[in-house]
Structure formats: structure tokens, C-alpha cells
Amino acid sequence: LRQQLGISEPSYYYYLNQSGCERVDGTDDKADFKETVSAMGVMDLTAADQSDVLKVVAAILHLGNVEFCENGNYAQVRDPAFLAFPAYLLGLQEADLNEKLTTRLMKSTWGGKTETTVVTLTVEQAVHTRDALAKALYARLFDYLVAKINKAMERQGSIQSIGVLDIYGFEIFEHNGFEQFCINYVNEKLQQIFIELTLKAEQEEYQNEGIKWT
């Protein structure tokens, strides 16, 4: 499995090595991984589903190792070999992934006509694009797993769903690793949902009591 996903030591991955802490006393990563795989099985994720989940996580880690250098004031991938694994895991061609990381499409409308122009990114913009892609992949994976859990909890004649109450907070350290990146995203996502549900409940209460609100 490690060979299939291209998994190496934590220190190899940019998203994991920024904190300088790769081992936690009292934490058994192998045992935790087995429990996670078992939990996915309990939640009715097929072997293919579980494989796809692990591929996405591995692809995110590999994406973080894609570096850029300047070529005529524009960004290019420093070592194209680092595109191989994330492209393979995401089912993409390396050339397509390279294009999406170093360019963007700009649409302009003039006289009722729409023109599309390919704009080459700077190194800074390419880094932001890489990290945005990693975050988007993680976000969609998070939503997918929550939906699968809620689906597995459905029972005939009753509706059940998981609920999480999170403490407000977004932490930024001098060096932010992949783990903190994930924690911050989940915190912000849950906080957003909690606020939306709270406001909706308050608005419904105002309506029921005939209270005007803006």
C-alpha cells in the first residue's frame, strides 16, 4: 500500500515537516491507521471507496512537494518528476496538472463576445494555486466522509446524523504544518455550519412570534 501511494517518512513531505514534530509520544500511528480503516468499513465504505480516500490524502501530501522556480518572470515546476505521483493518484495527466498549477484562464467579454486567455502565473501565485488545490481536495474529502457517515447512520423511520460542537479558534504558528492546516480548516468549516444553524433557528423563532427582523 505504501508503494502504491508513494508514501515515505513524514519528514519527506513539506506539509508535514514544517512543525518539526513528526512523532508524538504515546501515539501509535499504525494502530490508529488500522482503527481508521476499520471505521471506514463500519461506515459502509467499500474497498474501492477506502482506496480512493487514501489516494486523495496521499495526493495532497505529494502536491505539497511540488516546488516552483522562476523562468523569465514566470513560474515553472522546478522538478517535473514531482508531478508524477499526485497526477497518478488523482487520475490526471502530468501535463494537465502542470498546466493547472502554473497557469490560469482569464475570460473577457467585449462586444458580446467572450475571449479566453491563458495567463502564466508567477512563482508566488503558483504556490498559492498549489495550496488552494490541496485545500479544495481536503474540503471535498471532508464533506464526502461526513455524508457517508450520515448515510450509514440512517435508519428506517428515523433520521440520525452526526453533530459536532467545536470551540471557536484559528491558530497560526510560526511554522504551520499539514496537521495544523487540516485542524484549522475543520474548525472554520464547523464554525460556519454552527453559525448558519444558529441564525436560522433564531430567525424561525422570530417569525413564529411575529417579531420583525432585518
Side-chain angles (χ1 to χ4, degrees):
L1 181 61
R2 292 189 61 172
Q3 291 182 344
Q4 179 185 358
L5 300 178
I7 297 300
S8 184
E9 293 299 315
S11 58
Y12 173 74
Y13 300 101
Y14 174 78
Y15 284 150
L16 296 181
N17 62 26
Q18 297 304 293
S19 66
C21 178
E22 298 156 10
R23 295 284 187 274
V24 178
D25 293 338
T27 298
D28 188 335
D29 292 329
K30 290 184 178 179
D32 289 345
F33 177 74
K34 289 181 179 179
E35 288 185 7
T36 300
V37 173
S38 176
M40 288 194 290
V42 172
M43 291 296 105
D44 292 334
L45 269 74
T46 65
D49 292 336
Q50 295 178 33
S51 176
D52 289 341
V53 168
L54 297 178
K55 284 181 179 180
V56 172
V57 174
I60 293 172
L61 294 177
H62 285 293
L63 270 177
N65 282 6
V66 177
E67 297 181 341
F68 305 92
C69 61
E70 191 172 287
N71 181 19
N73 295 326
Y74 296 111
Q76 71 175 26
V77 175
R78 186 182 300 277
D79 186 350
F82 282 88
L83 295 170
F85 253 113
Y88 161 71
L89 293 170
L90 296 173
L92 302 172
Q93 296 295 322
E94 293 179 35
D96 292 336
L97 180 58
N98 178 69
E99 179 182 358
K100 295 305 179 184
L101 291 176
T102 56
T103 65
R104 65 181 176 88
L105 295 179
M106 183 175 68
K107 293 184 178 181
S108 58
T109 302
W110 181 262
K113 296 182 179 180
T114 300
E115 293 184 355
T116 301
T117 305
V118 178
V119 179
T120 306
L121 304 179
T122 65
V123 170
E124 182 180 5
Q125 290 171 333
V127 171
H128 289 326
T129 299
R130 177 201 66 189
D131 293 342
L133 175 58
K135 182 177 180 179
L137 288 170
Y138 183 82
R140 283 161 175 75
L141 180 60
F142 178 84
D143 291 341
Y144 167 77
L145 290 174
V146 170
K148 293 292 288 187
I149 292 172
N150 284 334
K151 181 68 176 178
M153 293 175 63
E154 287 183 357
R155 294 294 182 269
Q156 189 68 30
S158 64
I159 299 177
Q160 298 180 357
S161 63
I162 61 172
V164 182
L165 178 61
D166 178 55
I167 299 176
Y168 289 55
F170 190 99
E171 297 178 294
I172 299 178
F173 300 103
E174 183 176 354
H175 298 288
N176 295 279
F178 178 70
E179 181 179 355
Q180 191 59 43
F181 163 83
C182 295
I183 292 173
N184 285 344
Y185 172 78
V186 174
N187 279 346
E188 293 301 306
K189 189 74 172 181
L190 294 175
Q191 178 179 331
Q192 180 183 8
I193 294 173
F194 178 74
I195 291 175
E196 288 178 353
L197 293 177
T198 301
L199 291 177
K200 183 178 179 181
E202 289 294 328
Q203 291 173 358
E204 290 177 349
E205 184 175 348
Y206 287 173
Q207 291 175 342
N208 292 335
E209 295 182 5
I211 301 175
K212 293 183 179 181
W213 58 275
T214 58

